[in-house]
């Protein structure tokens, strides 16, 4: 696809400030379109691995599926980082201040004040005081006598060196063992006849093209969108709405989201914590144990990803600090930051 370019550079740039802002917004749209193509490619990779696309000669093994899952997870994590950068870029462009109008003409100077008064007479200088005399230097003390040098002690006698011991005799070398006879080479077996070539199987039907059916992004800023600590068994809040497409994924509260259509959803979530902890997806109140993520130490982002399959309409999805944990999540800004840190939840319907 073609790329946008900055117009009218011949050689001076004569675009206006509004044109520059519009070009920046267009660059964000093009990057979003590129990320959409990447996500679509990852979805087709998953369909190929599970056998819904043609071309896989043998069924994929568990190792193959795990490798594909790791590859897709790494790619989606990088896309999440890129999405956050694009969001910050969009917010900065939309918050750009309006231009200040031209400065008005300077008003006329007002009249000067009254005449300057005369300077008063300078007072007489005071008399200089007398300089004090320098005190006399005291006499130097008497130097003490130098002590006598002590006598040097006598050197001890050198000990006698012991005699060197005799070298022991070398032992006799043992006789070499007898080499065993080489065994006979076995005869080569006859080559079996080639098997009959099987008939060519019919061409399978073409699978459906992968696509993103719906998507929605939700996020939180800390502070103030989550409490300082999220207790075990408590849901994490994502009360702010990001980009969305379609109408099947909607929020029902600050921490609950309705999946109105039966299907398969790719769910990616992350949060900023400054202590060990865990997060897990829940569907209709039940923990999805294959989606749990956590760490024992650290203060960076805690990312997670999982596939969610719904069997009834209007299923409710949440992200939770699992019940039974002994540690509450601390959702506070990391040290040294200049902006609130964020937590993100991205839900994509792929089937």
């Amino acid at each position: 696809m073609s790329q946008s370019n900055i117009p009218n550079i011949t050689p001076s740039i004569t675009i206006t400030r509004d044109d520059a802002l519009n070009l920046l917004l267009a660059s964000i749209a093009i990057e979003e379109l590129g990320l959409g193509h990447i996500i679509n490619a990852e979805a087709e990779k998953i369909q190929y691995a599970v056998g819904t696309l043609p071309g896989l000669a043998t069924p994929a093994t568990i190792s193959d599926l795990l490798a594909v899952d790791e590859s897709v997870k790494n790619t989606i994590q990088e896309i999440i980082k890129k999405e956050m950068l694009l969001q910050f870029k969009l917010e900065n462009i939309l918050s750009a201040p309006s231009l200040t109008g031209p400065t008005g003409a300077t008003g006329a100077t007002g009249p000067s004040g009254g005449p300057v008064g005369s300077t008063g007479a300078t007072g007489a200088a005071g008399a200089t005081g007398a300089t004090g005399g320098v005190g006399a230097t005291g006499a130097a003390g008497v130097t003490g006598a130098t002590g006598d040098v002590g006598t040097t002690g006598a050197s001890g006698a050198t000990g006698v060196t012991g005699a060197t011991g005799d070298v022991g005799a070398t032992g006799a070398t043992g006789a070499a063992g007898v080499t065993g006879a080489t065994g006979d080479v076995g005869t080569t077996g006859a080559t079996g006849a080639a098997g009959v070539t099987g008939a060519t199987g019919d061409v399978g039907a073409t699978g459906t093209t992968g696509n993103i059916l719906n998507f929605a992004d939700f996020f939180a800023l800390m502070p103030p969108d989550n409490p300082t600590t999220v207790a075990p068994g408590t849901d994490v809040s994502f009360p702010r709405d990001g980009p969305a497409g379609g109408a099947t994924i909607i929020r029902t509260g600050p921490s609950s989201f309705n999946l109105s259509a039966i299907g398969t959803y790719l769910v990616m979530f992350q949060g900023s914590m400054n202590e060990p902890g865990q997060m897990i997806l829940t569907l209709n109140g039940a923990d999805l144990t294959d989606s749990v993520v956590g760490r024992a130490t650290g203060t960076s982002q805690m990312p997670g990803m999982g596939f969610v399959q719904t069997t009834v309409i209007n299923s409710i999805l949440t992200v939770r600090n699992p019940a039974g944990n002994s540690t509450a999540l601390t959702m506070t800004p990391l040290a040294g930051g200049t902006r609130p840190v964020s937590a993100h939840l991205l839900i994509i319907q792929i089937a």
Side-chain angles (χ1 to χ4, degrees):
M1 61 183 176
S2 61
Q3 299 290 327
S4 62
N5 47 5
I6 299 177
N8 201 16
I9 304 180
T10 57
S12 60
I13 300 176
T14 59
I15 61 174
T16 65
R17 181 177 183 274
D18 290 340
D19 291 336
L21 293 178
N22 289 335
L23 287 172
L24 288 173
L25 292 174
S27 71
I28 293 175
I30 291 172
E31 289 185 77
E32 289 287 358
L33 181 59
L35 292 179
H37 283 293
I38 294 174
I39 294 176
N40 183 66
E42 293 302 302
E44 290 185 347
K45 183 192 296 182
I46 295 171
Q47 290 178 320
Y48 180 85
V50 299
T52 59
L53 286 179
L56 190 62
T58 58
T61 64
I62 294 299
S63 297
D64 294 335
L65 294 177
L66 291 175
V68 170
D69 180 72
E70 183 67 19
S71 173
V72 172
K73 179 170 70 174
N74 292 337
T75 302
I76 295 301
Q77 287 176 348
E78 294 302 319
I79 291 175
I80 291 174
K81 297 176 183 177
K82 182 64 175 178
E83 283 288 353
M84 287 189 285
L85 292 176
L86 290 177
Q87 180 183 343
F88 295 153
K89 181 178 177 181
L90 178 61
E91 290 173 351
N92 288 334
I93 294 172
L94 295 180
S95 63
S98 300
L99 288 175
T100 305
T103 304
T106 304
T109 304
S112 302
V116 179
S118 58
T119 303
T122 302
T128 302
T131 303
V134 178
T137 302
V142 179
T143 302
T146 302
D148 298 331
V149 178
T151 59
T152 301
S155 299
T158 302
V160 179
T161 301
T164 302
D166 298 331
V167 177
T170 302
T173 302
V178 179
T179 303
T182 302
D184 298 331
V185 177
T187 58
T188 302
T191 302
V196 180
T197 302
T200 303
D202 298 331
V203 178
T206 302
T208 58
T209 302
N211 198 5
I212 295 177
L213 303 181
N214 296 280
F215 70 95
D217 179 54
F218 308 96
F219 65 102
L221 298 177
M222 281 81 69
D225 293 340
N226 274 287
T228 302
T229 58
V230 178
T234 302
D235 295 333
V236 178
S237 294
F238 303 88
R240 301 175 187 257
D241 295 331
T248 61
I249 306 171
I250 59 174
R251 69 165 60 255
T252 58
S255 58
S256 58
F257 307 91
N258 184 64
L259 310 180
S260 61
I262 297 175
T264 301
Y265 297 81
L266 175 63
V267 181
M268 292 167 285
F269 56 98
Q270 59 86 19
S272 296
M273 294 88 179
N274 61 2
E275 68 178 15
Q278 290 183 318
M279 290 194 297
I280 193 171
L281 294 176
T282 71
L283 187 65
N284 296 324
D287 290 347
L288 302 179
T289 55
D290 60 345
S291 68
V292 66
V293 294
R295 64 168 180 232
T297 60
T299 60
S300 60
Q301 296 277 351
M302 185 190 296
M305 181 179 69
F307 287 100
V308 176
Q309 291 182 312
T310 61
T311 57
V312 296
I313 63 173
N314 297 323
S315 296
I316 301 300
L317 180 77
T318 65
V319 180
R320 177 175 298 172
N321 181 3
N325 280 357
S326 61
T327 304
L329 296 177
T330 302
M331 308 278 286
T332 56
L334 303 179
T338 59
R339 295 177 61 90
V341 293
S342 63
H344 269 267
L345 172 64
L346 178 60
I347 307 173
I348 305 172
Q349 184 183 4
I350 60 176

